[in-house]
PDB file of all heavy atoms in Angstrom:
ATOM      1  N   GLU A  91      -4.036   0.303  12.689  1.00 73.00           N
ATOM      2  CA  GLU A  91      -3.285   0.534  13.922  1.00 73.00           C
ATOM      3  C   GLU A  91      -3.983   1.526  14.849  1.00 73.00           C
ATOM      4  O   GLU A  91      -3.438   1.919  15.866  1.00 73.00           O
ATOM      5  CB  GLU A  91      -1.875   1.036  13.585  1.00 73.00           C
ATOM      6  CG  GLU A  91      -1.058   0.069  12.754  1.00 73.00           C
ATOM      7  CD  GLU A  91      -0.766  -1.227  13.496  1.00 73.00           C
ATOM      8  OE1 GLU A  91      -0.550  -1.186  14.720  1.00 73.00           O
ATOM      9  OE2 GLU A  91      -0.766  -2.284  12.848  1.00 73.00           O
ATOM     10  N   GLY A  92      -5.184   1.964  14.482  1.00 81.00           N
ATOM     11  CA  GLY A  92      -5.951   2.880  15.333  1.00 81.00           C
ATOM     12  C   GLY A  92      -5.633   4.344  15.134  1.00 81.00           C
ATOM     13  O   GLY A  92      -5.977   5.173  15.974  1.00 81.00           O
ATOM     14  N   GLY A  93      -5.004   4.694  14.027  1.00 86.00           N
ATOM     15  CA  GLY A  93      -4.638   6.086  13.782  1.00 86.00           C
ATOM     16  C   GLY A  93      -5.476   6.738  12.704  1.00 86.00           C
ATOM     17  O   GLY A  93      -6.442   6.164  12.200  1.00 86.00           O
ATOM     18  N   HIS A  94      -5.097   7.963  12.353  1.00 86.00           N
ATOM     19  CA  HIS A  94      -5.767   8.744  11.324  1.00 86.00           C
ATOM     20  C   HIS A  94      -4.714   9.294  10.375  1.00 86.00           C
ATOM     21  O   HIS A  94      -3.677   9.790  10.821  1.00 86.00           O
ATOM     22  CB  HIS A  94      -6.547   9.915  11.932  1.00 86.00           C
ATOM     23  CG  HIS A  94      -7.525   9.508  12.976  1.00 86.00           C
ATOM     24  ND1 HIS A  94      -8.741   8.958  12.667  1.00 86.00           N
ATOM     25  CD2 HIS A  94      -7.455   9.540  14.328  1.00 86.00           C
ATOM     26  CE1 HIS A  94      -9.391   8.683  13.781  1.00 86.00           C
ATOM     27  NE2 HIS A  94      -8.628   9.022  14.805  1.00 86.00           N
ATOM     28  N   CYS A  95      -4.959   9.211   9.083  1.00 86.00           N
ATOM     29  CA  CYS A  95      -4.044   9.774   8.088  1.00 86.00           C
ATOM     30  C   CYS A  95      -4.326  11.262   7.938  1.00 86.00           C
ATOM     31  O   CYS A  95      -5.486  11.660   7.763  1.00 86.00           O
ATOM     32  CB  CYS A  95      -4.219   9.075   6.748  1.00 86.00           C
ATOM     33  SG  CYS A  95      -3.641   7.377   6.751  1.00 86.00           S
ATOM     34  N   VAL A  96      -3.273  12.052   8.025  1.00 87.00           N
ATOM     35  CA  VAL A  96      -3.422  13.504   7.919  1.00 87.00           C
ATOM     36  C   VAL A  96      -2.370  14.055   6.957  1.00 87.00           C
ATOM     37  O   VAL A  96      -1.291  13.490   6.809  1.00 87.00           O
ATOM     38  CB  VAL A  96      -3.284  14.194   9.300  1.00 87.00           C
ATOM     39  CG1 VAL A  96      -4.404  13.776  10.235  1.00 87.00           C
ATOM     40  CG2 VAL A  96      -1.942  13.930   9.928  1.00 87.00           C
ATOM     41  N   PRO A  97      -2.685  15.191   6.302  1.00 87.00           N
ATOM     42  CA  PRO A  97      -1.703  15.815   5.412  1.00 87.00           C
ATOM     43  C   PRO A  97      -0.529  16.366   6.208  1.00 87.00           C
ATOM     44  O   PRO A  97      -0.632  16.580   7.422  1.00 87.00           O
ATOM     45  CB  PRO A  97      -2.495  16.921   4.721  1.00 87.00           C
ATOM     46  CG  PRO A  97      -3.721  17.127   5.516  1.00 87.00           C
ATOM     47  CD  PRO A  97      -3.964  15.889   6.305  1.00 87.00           C
ATOM     48  N   PRO A  98       0.614  16.605   5.547  1.00 87.00           N
ATOM     49  CA  PRO A  98       1.835  17.024   6.255  1.00 87.00           C
ATOM     50  C   PRO A  98       1.719  18.349   6.995  1.00 87.00           C
ATOM     51  O   PRO A  98       2.438  18.579   7.971  1.00 87.00           O
ATOM     52  CB  PRO A  98       2.893  17.093   5.155  1.00 87.00           C
ATOM     53  CG  PRO A  98       2.176  17.049   3.869  1.00 87.00           C
ATOM     54  CD  PRO A  98       0.828  16.458   4.115  1.00 87.00           C
ATOM     55  N   GLU A  99       0.804  19.223   6.586  1.00 91.00           N
ATOM     56  CA  GLU A  99       0.711  20.530   7.253  1.00 91.00           C
ATOM     57  C   GLU A  99       0.017  20.452   8.614  1.00 91.00           C
ATOM     58  O   GLU A  99       0.097  21.384   9.402  1.00 91.00           O
ATOM     59  CB  GLU A  99       0.008  21.564   6.361  1.00 91.00           C
ATOM     60  CG  GLU A  99      -1.380  21.191   5.911  1.00 91.00           C
ATOM     61  CD  GLU A  99      -1.412  20.429   4.595  1.00 91.00           C
ATOM     62  OE1 GLU A  99      -0.348  20.100   4.051  1.00 91.00           O
ATOM     63  OE2 GLU A  99      -2.515  20.158   4.129  1.00 91.00           O
ATOM     64  N   ILE A 100      -0.634  19.356   8.937  1.00 88.00           N
ATOM     65  CA  ILE A 100      -1.279  19.187  10.243  1.00 88.00           C
ATOM     66  C   ILE A 100      -0.264  18.619  11.229  1.00 88.00           C
ATOM     67  O   ILE A 100       0.445  17.670  10.929  1.00 88.00           O
ATOM     68  CB  ILE A 100      -2.516  18.276  10.131  1.00 88.00           C
ATOM     69  CG1 ILE A 100      -3.585  18.963   9.283  1.00 88.00           C
ATOM     70  CG2 ILE A 100      -3.063  17.924  11.508  1.00 88.00           C
ATOM     71  CD1 ILE A 100      -4.835  18.164   9.079  1.00 88.00           C
ATOM     72  N   LYS A 101      -0.208  19.212  12.420  1.00 89.00           N
ATOM     73  CA  LYS A 101       0.728  18.767  13.455  1.00 89.00           C
ATOM     74  C   LYS A 101       0.112  17.625  14.257  1.00 89.00           C
ATOM     75  O   LYS A 101      -1.043  17.687  14.657  1.00 89.00           O
ATOM     76  CB  LYS A 101       1.051  19.918  14.414  1.00 89.00           C
ATOM     77  CG  LYS A 101       1.648  21.123  13.747  1.00 89.00           C
ATOM     78  CD  LYS A 101       3.117  21.007  13.694  1.00 89.00           C
ATOM     79  CE  LYS A 101       3.674  22.342  13.171  1.00 89.00           C
ATOM     80  NZ  LYS A 101       4.942  22.226  12.592  1.00 89.00           N
ATOM     81  N   CYS A 102       0.902  16.594  14.473  1.00 88.00           N
ATOM     82  CA  CYS A 102       0.477  15.459  15.295  1.00 88.00           C
ATOM     83  C   CYS A 102       1.054  15.610  16.691  1.00 88.00           C
ATOM     84  O   CYS A 102       2.212  15.978  16.846  1.00 88.00           O
ATOM     85  CB  CYS A 102       1.017  14.142  14.736  1.00 88.00           C
ATOM     86  SG  CYS A 102       0.325  13.637  13.186  1.00 88.00           S
ATOM     87  N   LEU A 103       0.244  15.308  17.708  1.00 86.00           N
ATOM     88  CA  LEU A 103       0.785  15.233  19.064  1.00 86.00           C
ATOM     89  C   LEU A 103       1.562  13.937  19.227  1.00 86.00           C
ATOM     90  O   LEU A 103       2.559  13.882  19.931  1.00 86.00           O
ATOM     91  CB  LEU A 103      -0.333  15.309  20.105  1.00 86.00           C
ATOM     92  CG  LEU A 103      -1.075  16.632  20.175  1.00 86.00           C
ATOM     93  CD1 LEU A 103      -2.219  16.555  21.175  1.00 86.00           C
ATOM     94  CD2 LEU A 103      -0.124  17.756  20.565  1.00 86.00           C
ATOM     95  N   GLN A 104       1.073  12.892  18.552  1.00 85.00           N
ATOM     96  CA  GLN A 104       1.755  11.607  18.625  1.00 85.00           C
ATOM     97  C   GLN A 104       1.626  10.902  17.281  1.00 85.00           C
ATOM     98  O   GLN A 104       0.529  10.635  16.815  1.00 85.00           O
ATOM     99  CB  GLN A 104       1.166  10.752  19.734  1.00 85.00           C
ATOM    100  CG  GLN A 104       1.886   9.447  19.935  1.00 85.00           C
ATOM    101  CD  GLN A 104       1.334   8.680  21.133  1.00 85.00           C
ATOM    102  OE1 GLN A 104       0.455   9.144  21.844  1.00 85.00           O
ATOM    103  NE2 GLN A 104       1.864   7.504  21.341  1.00 85.00           N
ATOM    104  N   GLU A 105       2.761  10.611  16.653  1.00 84.00           N
ATOM    105  CA  GLU A 105       2.764   9.862  15.396  1.00 84.00           C
ATOM    106  C   GLU A 105       2.949   8.384  15.681  1.00 84.00           C
ATOM    107  O   GLU A 105       3.437   8.003  16.736  1.00 84.00           O
ATOM    108  CB  GLU A 105       3.905  10.341  14.482  1.00 84.00           C
ATOM    109  CG  GLU A 105       3.619  11.647  13.794  1.00 84.00           C
ATOM    110  CD  GLU A 105       4.633  11.945  12.701  1.00 84.00           C
ATOM    111  OE1 GLU A 105       4.875  11.075  11.857  1.00 84.00           O
ATOM    112  OE2 GLU A 105       5.161  13.066  12.715  1.00 84.00           O
TER     113      GLU A 105
END
Side-chain angles (χ1 to χ4, degrees):
E91 300 296 324
H94 305 282
C95 291
V96 296
E99 57 270 5
I100 294 179
K101 301 271 187 203
C102 292
L103 294 176
Q104 184 175 357
E105 283 191 50

